[in-house]
Short mmCIF file of all heavy atoms in Angstrom, two decimals:
data_model
loop_
_atom_site.label_atom_id
_atom_site.label_comp_id
_atom_site.label_asym_id
_atom_site.label_seq_id
_atom_site.Cartn_x
_atom_site.Cartn_y
_atom_site.Cartn_z
N ASP W 990 -1.15 -5.11 -6.38
CA ASP W 990 -1.32 -3.68 -6.47
C ASP W 990 -0.59 -3.09 -7.64
O ASP W 990 0.63 -3.37 -7.82
CB ASP W 990 -0.83 -3.04 -5.17
CG ASP W 990 -1.14 -1.57 -5.07
OD1 ASP W 990 -1.69 -1.01 -6.02
OD2 ASP W 990 -0.81 -0.97 -4.02
N PHE W 991 -1.28 -2.29 -8.50
CA PHE W 991 -0.62 -1.66 -9.61
C PHE W 991 0.40 -0.60 -9.16
O PHE W 991 1.36 -0.30 -9.86
CB PHE W 991 -1.67 -0.98 -10.52
CG PHE W 991 -2.35 0.19 -9.86
CD1 PHE W 991 -1.84 1.45 -9.89
CD2 PHE W 991 -3.58 -0.02 -9.19
CE1 PHE W 991 -2.49 2.51 -9.32
CE2 PHE W 991 -4.23 1.05 -8.57
CZ PHE W 991 -3.70 2.29 -8.61
N HIS W 992 0.16 -0.03 -7.97
CA HIS W 992 1.03 1.03 -7.49
C HIS W 992 2.09 0.48 -6.52
O HIS W 992 1.73 0.00 -5.45
CB HIS W 992 0.21 2.09 -6.75
CG HIS W 992 1.05 3.22 -6.15
ND1 HIS W 992 1.83 4.04 -6.94
CD2 HIS W 992 1.23 3.59 -4.88
CE1 HIS W 992 2.43 4.88 -6.17
NE2 HIS W 992 2.12 4.66 -4.92
N ARG W 993 3.32 0.50 -6.87
CA ARG W 993 4.40 -0.03 -6.04
C ARG W 993 4.80 0.95 -5.00
O ARG W 993 5.78 1.71 -5.15
CB ARG W 993 5.60 -0.43 -6.91
CG ARG W 993 5.31 -1.57 -7.89
CD ARG W 993 6.61 -1.97 -8.56
NE ARG W 993 6.45 -3.12 -9.41
CZ ARG W 993 7.45 -3.79 -9.98
NH1 ARG W 993 8.69 -3.35 -9.76
NH2 ARG W 993 7.24 -4.81 -10.76
N GLY W 994 4.04 1.00 -3.92
CA GLY W 994 4.35 1.87 -2.87
C GLY W 994 5.56 1.39 -2.06
O GLY W 994 6.06 0.27 -2.28
N ILE W 995 6.07 2.20 -1.15
CA ILE W 995 7.24 1.90 -0.32
C ILE W 995 6.83 1.02 0.86
O ILE W 995 5.85 1.32 1.58
CB ILE W 995 7.88 3.15 0.17
CG1 ILE W 995 8.41 3.97 -1.01
CG2 ILE W 995 9.05 2.82 1.13
CD1 ILE W 995 8.95 5.35 -0.63
N SER W 996 7.52 -0.07 1.07
CA SER W 996 7.23 -0.97 2.21
C SER W 996 7.39 -0.28 3.53
O SER W 996 8.49 0.30 3.78
CB SER W 996 8.13 -2.22 2.13
OG SER W 996 8.01 -3.01 3.28
N LYS W 997 6.41 -0.35 4.36
CA LYS W 997 6.49 0.25 5.67
C LYS W 997 7.32 -0.60 6.65
O LYS W 997 7.72 -0.14 7.69
CB LYS W 997 5.12 0.51 6.28
CG LYS W 997 4.31 -0.74 6.57
CD LYS W 997 3.00 -0.38 7.16
CE LYS W 997 2.12 -1.58 7.50
NZ LYS W 997 0.81 -1.26 8.06
N PHE W 998 7.60 -1.86 6.23
CA PHE W 998 8.37 -2.75 7.07
C PHE W 998 9.83 -2.75 6.63
O PHE W 998 10.71 -2.93 7.54
CB PHE W 998 7.84 -4.16 6.98
CG PHE W 998 6.40 -4.29 7.47
CD1 PHE W 998 5.39 -4.48 6.55
CD2 PHE W 998 6.10 -4.16 8.81
CE1 PHE W 998 4.02 -4.61 6.99
CE2 PHE W 998 4.78 -4.29 9.25
CZ PHE W 998 3.76 -4.52 8.32
N HIS W 999 10.13 -2.61 5.35
CA HIS W 999 11.50 -2.84 4.87
C HIS W 999 12.09 -1.64 4.16
O HIS W 999 13.23 -1.74 3.67
CB HIS W 999 11.51 -4.06 3.96
CG HIS W 999 10.87 -5.25 4.58
ND1 HIS W 999 11.43 -5.92 5.69
CD2 HIS W 999 9.75 -5.94 4.28
CE1 HIS W 999 10.67 -6.92 6.01
NE2 HIS W 999 9.62 -7.00 5.19
N GLY W 1000 11.39 -0.54 4.05
CA GLY W 1000 11.98 0.67 3.47
C GLY W 1000 11.80 0.83 1.99
O GLY W 1000 11.13 0.01 1.32
N PRO W 1001 12.38 1.90 1.40
CA PRO W 1001 12.17 2.30 0.03
C PRO W 1001 12.69 1.33 -1.02
O PRO W 1001 12.34 1.46 -2.18
CB PRO W 1001 12.91 3.63 -0.06
CG PRO W 1001 13.94 3.57 0.99
CD PRO W 1001 13.33 2.80 2.12
N ASP W 1002 13.52 0.40 -0.68
CA ASP W 1002 14.03 -0.58 -1.65
C ASP W 1002 13.10 -1.75 -1.85
O ASP W 1002 13.43 -2.63 -2.67
CB ASP W 1002 15.40 -1.06 -1.19
CG ASP W 1002 16.47 0.02 -1.18
OD1 ASP W 1002 16.31 0.98 -1.97
OD2 ASP W 1002 17.40 -0.08 -0.39
N PHE W 1003 11.95 -1.76 -1.20
CA PHE W 1003 11.04 -2.86 -1.30
C PHE W 1003 9.60 -2.42 -1.53
O PHE W 1003 9.19 -1.32 -1.13
CB PHE W 1003 11.11 -3.73 -0.05
CG PHE W 1003 12.46 -4.34 0.17
CD1 PHE W 1003 13.43 -3.68 0.96
CD2 PHE W 1003 12.86 -5.55 -0.40
CE1 PHE W 1003 14.67 -4.21 1.13
CE2 PHE W 1003 14.09 -6.07 -0.24
CZ PHE W 1003 15.01 -5.43 0.56
N ILE W 1004 8.82 -3.28 -2.18
CA ILE W 1004 7.42 -2.98 -2.51
C ILE W 1004 6.53 -3.07 -1.31
O ILE W 1004 6.74 -4.00 -0.48
CB ILE W 1004 6.94 -3.97 -3.61
CG1 ILE W 1004 7.73 -3.79 -4.94
CG2 ILE W 1004 5.45 -3.79 -3.89
CD1 ILE W 1004 7.46 -4.83 -5.97
N ASN W 1005 5.62 -2.23 -1.21
CA ASN W 1005 4.59 -2.29 -0.12
C ASN W 1005 3.56 -3.34 -0.48
O ASN W 1005 2.79 -3.23 -1.40
CB ASN W 1005 3.91 -0.94 0.07
CG ASN W 1005 3.08 -0.88 1.28
OD1 ASN W 1005 3.25 -1.66 2.23
ND2 ASN W 1005 2.09 0.01 1.34
N ILE W 1006 3.61 -4.47 0.28
CA ILE W 1006 2.70 -5.58 0.02
C ILE W 1006 1.51 -5.53 0.98
O ILE W 1006 1.63 -5.33 2.17
CB ILE W 1006 3.47 -6.91 0.23
CG1 ILE W 1006 4.65 -7.00 -0.75
CG2 ILE W 1006 2.53 -8.09 0.07
CD1 ILE W 1006 5.52 -8.18 -0.58
N CYS W 1007 0.32 -5.70 0.38
CA CYS W 1007 -0.90 -5.73 1.14
C CYS W 1007 -1.15 -4.46 1.93
O CYS W 1007 -1.43 -4.50 3.15
CB CYS W 1007 -0.96 -6.92 2.07
SG CYS W 1007 -1.19 -8.50 1.20
N ALA W 1008 -1.04 -3.31 1.33
CA ALA W 1008 -1.40 -2.06 1.98
C ALA W 1008 -2.86 -2.14 2.48
O ALA W 1008 -3.73 -2.54 1.73
CB ALA W 1008 -1.23 -0.91 1.00
N ASP W 1009 -3.08 -1.75 3.74
CA ASP W 1009 -4.42 -1.76 4.30
C ASP W 1009 -4.99 -0.36 4.16
O ASP W 1009 -4.61 0.56 4.87
CB ASP W 1009 -4.29 -2.16 5.80
CG ASP W 1009 -5.61 -2.47 6.44
OD1 ASP W 1009 -6.65 -2.20 5.80
OD2 ASP W 1009 -5.64 -3.01 7.57
N VAL W 1010 -5.99 -0.23 3.24
CA VAL W 1010 -6.50 1.08 2.86
C VAL W 1010 -7.97 1.24 3.17
O VAL W 1010 -8.79 0.36 2.90
CB VAL W 1010 -6.25 1.32 1.33
CG1 VAL W 1010 -6.72 2.70 0.94
CG2 VAL W 1010 -4.79 1.18 0.98
N TYR W 1011 -8.30 2.38 3.70
CA TYR W 1011 -9.69 2.71 3.98
C TYR W 1011 -10.40 3.07 2.69
O TYR W 1011 -9.95 3.93 1.95
CB TYR W 1011 -9.77 3.90 4.96
CG TYR W 1011 -11.20 4.44 5.17
CD1 TYR W 1011 -12.21 3.62 5.67
CD2 TYR W 1011 -11.47 5.74 4.90
CE1 TYR W 1011 -13.48 4.11 5.89
CE2 TYR W 1011 -12.78 6.30 5.08
CZ TYR W 1011 -13.75 5.41 5.57
OH TYR W 1011 -15.00 5.93 5.78
N GLU W 1012 -11.50 2.36 2.36
CA GLU W 1012 -12.24 2.55 1.12
C GLU W 1012 -13.67 2.86 1.42
O GLU W 1012 -14.52 1.96 1.49
CB GLU W 1012 -12.16 1.26 0.25
CG GLU W 1012 -10.77 0.69 0.07
CD GLU W 1012 -9.91 1.50 -0.94
OE1 GLU W 1012 -10.39 2.55 -1.38
OE2 GLU W 1012 -8.81 0.99 -1.28
N PRO W 1013 -14.04 4.12 1.68
CA PRO W 1013 -15.41 4.49 2.01
C PRO W 1013 -16.43 4.09 0.96
O PRO W 1013 -16.15 4.23 -0.26
CB PRO W 1013 -15.34 6.02 2.19
CG PRO W 1013 -14.14 6.46 1.43
CD PRO W 1013 -13.17 5.28 1.48
N ILE W 1014 -17.61 3.66 1.35
CA ILE W 1014 -18.63 3.17 0.43
C ILE W 1014 -19.04 4.21 -0.56
O ILE W 1014 -19.23 3.97 -1.74
CB ILE W 1014 -19.83 2.66 1.24
CG1 ILE W 1014 -19.50 1.39 2.01
CG2 ILE W 1014 -21.01 2.38 0.26
CD1 ILE W 1014 -20.64 0.82 2.81
N GLU W 1015 -19.19 5.48 -0.11
CA GLU W 1015 -19.63 6.52 -0.99
C GLU W 1015 -18.71 6.78 -2.16
O GLU W 1015 -19.12 7.31 -3.20
CB GLU W 1015 -19.86 7.87 -0.22
CG GLU W 1015 -18.67 8.41 0.49
CD GLU W 1015 -18.48 7.86 1.92
OE1 GLU W 1015 -19.09 6.86 2.21
OE2 GLU W 1015 -17.79 8.51 2.70
N GLU W 1016 -17.43 6.39 -2.04
CA GLU W 1016 -16.46 6.58 -3.11
C GLU W 1016 -16.22 5.29 -3.89
O GLU W 1016 -15.62 5.34 -5.00
CB GLU W 1016 -15.14 7.09 -2.53
CG GLU W 1016 -15.23 8.45 -1.90
CD GLU W 1016 -13.86 8.89 -1.32
OE1 GLU W 1016 -12.85 8.28 -1.62
OE2 GLU W 1016 -13.89 9.83 -0.49
#
């Protein structure tokens, strides 16, 4: 991922790995 989001498991000091994102077909 180009965007280093905050890990939901380990907090703001870690990268969010494998974010599960809804990607609607129309978009």
